[in-house]
Structures are given as C-alpha cells and as structure tokens.
Amino acid sequence: MIIKTIKKLKLLSKCNIKIAKPILVSIIYLDDIFLKFRIFLFCLFLKNDNKIVKAMKDLKKDGVAIIPNFYSENEIQIINKECSKLIDKIPLEKVNQSKDYIESEDINIDGKSIYLEKLGGSIKLKGLNIVNEFFNKIGKEIENNLITLIYQLSVKKPYLVYNVSHDGSLKHPIFKNHSNKKNNEAIAGRPHVDLYLHKLRGFIALKDVNRNNGATVYFKKSMNSKLLKENHVNLILKDFGHLDTNEESHYISENKLDKLNENCTKSFIECKKGDLALIDLKTAHYAILPKEGERHLLWMYY
C-alpha cells in the first residue's frame, strides 16, 4: 500500500531532478522511521517470545528473519506433491532450448498461464497462485497477513514462485541444462538490492536449506548501510523516470561489494524444512548454486 501510494505522486516524475531528488530521499527516510514506529507499537502489545515479534525485531536489526516450523511436515509434503505435479505438466519443448537463459517463457497449465525462468539447471515457475485453489490459499494465513500488515501495510495474497536449483543430480528432463555451456551463476546470482522502501519477500523451505545446497547470501544490516544509500536513491529516481540505468541502483558494483564485505557480515539464509524465511528488499543479497544436492523453495512475493 505504501509503494502504491508513493507511485501516485506522478508530479515528481515531471519535476526537475534537483527538485524531485530531495523529496524522494525524504520519502525513503520517512518510510524507515514509520516502519520502526510500527514495529515498536506492535511489540508493546505482545510477549517477547512471540515468533512474529521476534521476526519483526530480527528484520529491523539484520534485514532477514526466519520463523521456525511455520508450516507442518504434512503441509510441506502436500506442497511438494503439488509442485511436482506442475513440473510434470510443463511441455518439454518449452525448456528444450539451446538458450543460455530463458527469461520469461509462457507455460499453459490446465488453461492457466504461468511463467518459466531458466538458467542452466535452475528454474523458477512464476504465478502458481493462479493455477488452482490449493496454491491460491497459500500465504493467506492470519500470521502471514499480520507480518505483511505490520511491515508494509498490506494483506494482499502473495505471488507464488517455485524455485529449484541443483548440482546436476536431478534427472527429471525439465531440470536438464540444454544450453551449450555450463552456467556457473544462479538466477539472481549477481549481488543486488530490489527496492528503495521496506518491503518483504519470503520463502517456504520445502527441504532443508544450507550453504552447501545453495542458501541465499545476504549482508546483515546492509539495508541501513550508508554504502547502499546511493543504490536506494538511484532506484527511486529510476522508478520516477529520472534515471535509466541499473548500474549503481539494482546491482552492487565490485568496489562497493568489497566495502560491504568489510562493513557488513556476510551471512547465509539457512533454515529447516517448513521454516518461513523473510528478507527486506532493501538488503543486499544474491543467490548461489548448490555445491551438492538440491534446493527447493516456494517464494512468496508479497
């Protein structure tokens, strides 16, 4: 809701950048203050051992939080089964291409359109929430709504993305690398930030996630680091038409990455099957390929 409201300020797109920039920078600053105030109020009314309270505090502090056992063993088994059904329904001709990277391939499943992204042996199936009623219900739980209401003043259902990465051990033809070269980079494998305001993205771990099977890398406390201020400002300038490049906005330069490594702790989002991991999109992060085994995630784009 916050982002939608801000994007309605179309006048800022028409203003001279010298006028628009200080206003847009102030919006970033006020969003940060307002989030901390919401979390403070919420934590006043619940006990410190409440899992949502702990998640809010971890997010405010580090930019990432993990809520253990958010989904039961039985629920994870069912989700895995439903995801496997989707994989079996993907037409092989959609993935049997020599392209190094498939950015967005339209896939028709049971009369509904979802989208495939593929890089080497890693895939993302996007838009699962429109496929059937089962996926449509995921993410609508009261606790999920409470998390997004506090963090971004929104309770809309999430956009679901099934993400699989592996070390070459998966034999299903959908996961085969059909390109002419071996790819050593994961989808979203370049260090980046996604947004200039506080907003969440989460994933359900469908199997245990650790650094060996491709845990997402992030930099603790980086969302509040002065090193990324330029990226956040450039992202909002780009959103309002005052900048037309991704460099020094979405992506993090090598020079800046070296400084991030010195000033912010490089960490991995490691969690157990059934856990819900949350990341603030202002946080610097990137995906890595599994060294061994496979990683299965159901992302929720709130």
Side-chain angles (χ1 to χ4, degrees):
M1 188 178 83
I2 296 172
I3 293 174
K4 282 185 178 180
T5 302
I6 289 170
K7 286 188 175 182
K8 288 180 179 179
L9 302 174
K10 296 180 181 179
L11 181 63
L12 293 174
S13 298
K14 300 176 182 179
C15 291
N16 183 285
I17 189 171
K18 291 182 179 180
I19 297 173
K21 185 174 180 178
I23 297 173
L24 295 172
V25 170
S26 297
I27 287 173
I28 294 174
Y29 176 75
L30 290 172
D31 175 65
D32 186 59
I33 297 295
F34 190 27
L35 172 67
K36 290 174 181 176
F37 179 66
R38 292 197 305 273
I39 292 175
F40 170 74
L41 286 180
F42 172 72
C43 293
L44 280 179
F45 295 99
L46 290 176
K47 296 179 180 178
N48 284 331
D49 60 353
N50 180 279
K51 60 184 179 181
I52 307 299
V53 168
K54 185 178 184 308
M56 290 298 109
K57 289 181 177 180
D58 288 345
L59 283 164
K60 185 177 73 169
K61 178 186 173 188
D62 295 326
V64 164
I66 294 171
I67 303 180
N69 305 311
F70 198 83
Y71 290 87
S72 69
E73 176 74 27
N74 183 58
E75 288 172 322
I76 294 300
Q77 286 181 1
I78 295 171
I79 293 172
N80 271 315
K81 184 177 179 181
E82 292 296 324
C83 287
S84 294
K85 287 180 184 178
L86 290 184
I87 293 296
D88 290 337
K89 290 180 179 181
I90 298 174
L92 284 178
E93 63 269 18
K94 292 289 188 177
V95 296
N96 189 14
Q97 303 179 25
S98 59
K99 293 180 182 178
D100 294 330
Y101 177 48
I102 301 173
E103 183 175 5
S104 183
E105 188 75 22
D106 191 340
I107 306 289
N108 188 289
I109 294 182
D110 299 333
K112 305 288 179 63
S113 286
I114 61 174
Y115 298 91
L116 170 74
E117 183 178 2
K118 192 172 192 294
L119 182 64
S122 299
I123 71 162
K124 283 186 177 182
L125 284 180
K126 303 178 178 181
L128 274 60
N129 47 292
I130 69 166
V131 171
N132 56 41
E133 189 59 29
F134 173 80
F135 285 112
N136 188 44
K137 290 180 179 178
I138 293 177
K140 289 184 175 180
E141 302 87 358
I142 292 176
E143 289 176 328
N144 236 319
N145 287 337
L146 182 59
I147 290 167
T148 56
L149 179 63
I150 298 163
Y151 214 82
Q152 57 201 48
L153 297 179
S154 171
V155 292
K156 70 176 185 178
K157 62 186 178 184
Y159 183 79
L160 298 184
V161 177
Y162 179 47
N163 178 212
V164 180
S165 295
H166 64 102
D167 62 356
S169 57
L170 286 176
K171 302 305 179 185
H172 196 294
I174 293 299
F175 300 112
K176 185 178 179 181
N177 182 6
H178 294 281
S179 67
N180 296 321
K181 69 175 185 178
K182 184 176 180 181
N183 211 301
N184 294 317
E185 185 177 308
I187 296 173
R190 187 176 170 187
H192 62 281
V193 294
D194 286 306
L195 204 58
Y196 46 85
L197 299 180
H198 291 291
K199 190 178 181 185
L200 291 178
R201 187 169 293 167
F203 67 75
I204 308 165
L206 301 180
K207 293 182 182 293
D208 290 355
V209 179
N210 55 63
R211 63 188 68 190
N212 285 328
N213 71 356
T216 299
V217 179
Y218 74 102
F219 294 86
K220 283 187 176 181
K221 300 179 174 61
S222 60
M223 66 180 182
N224 294 318
S225 172
K226 292 180 180 179
L227 290 169
L228 293 184
K229 182 178 178 180
E230 182 182 16
N231 292 79
H232 296 144
V233 171
N234 283 347
L235 277 172
I236 197 169
L237 287 173
K238 185 171 182 288
D239 220 11
F240 280 84
H242 294 292
L243 198 68
D244 59 3
T245 177
N246 260 352
E247 298 304 322
E248 290 302 320
S249 56
H250 179 61
Y251 295 114
I252 298 168
S253 67
E254 289 294 330
N255 180 53
K256 193 173 290 183
L257 188 61
D258 289 339
K259 292 179 181 178
L260 263 182
N261 276 302
E262 294 173 4
N263 292 275
C264 300
T265 305
K266 181 179 176 180
S267 303
F268 296 82
I269 304 180
E270 298 181 279
C271 50
K272 298 293 185 181
K273 180 169 63 175
D275 292 354
L276 174 63
L278 301 165
I279 182 168
D280 188 302
L281 295 182
K282 290 181 70 175
T283 297
H285 65 285
Y286 62 95
I288 56 174
L289 290 174
K291 295 177 184 177
E292 57 183 43
E294 57 200 68
R295 183 195 67 191
H296 296 252
L297 310 175
L298 186 63
W299 283 95
M300 294 190 280
Y301 291 15
Y302 296 112

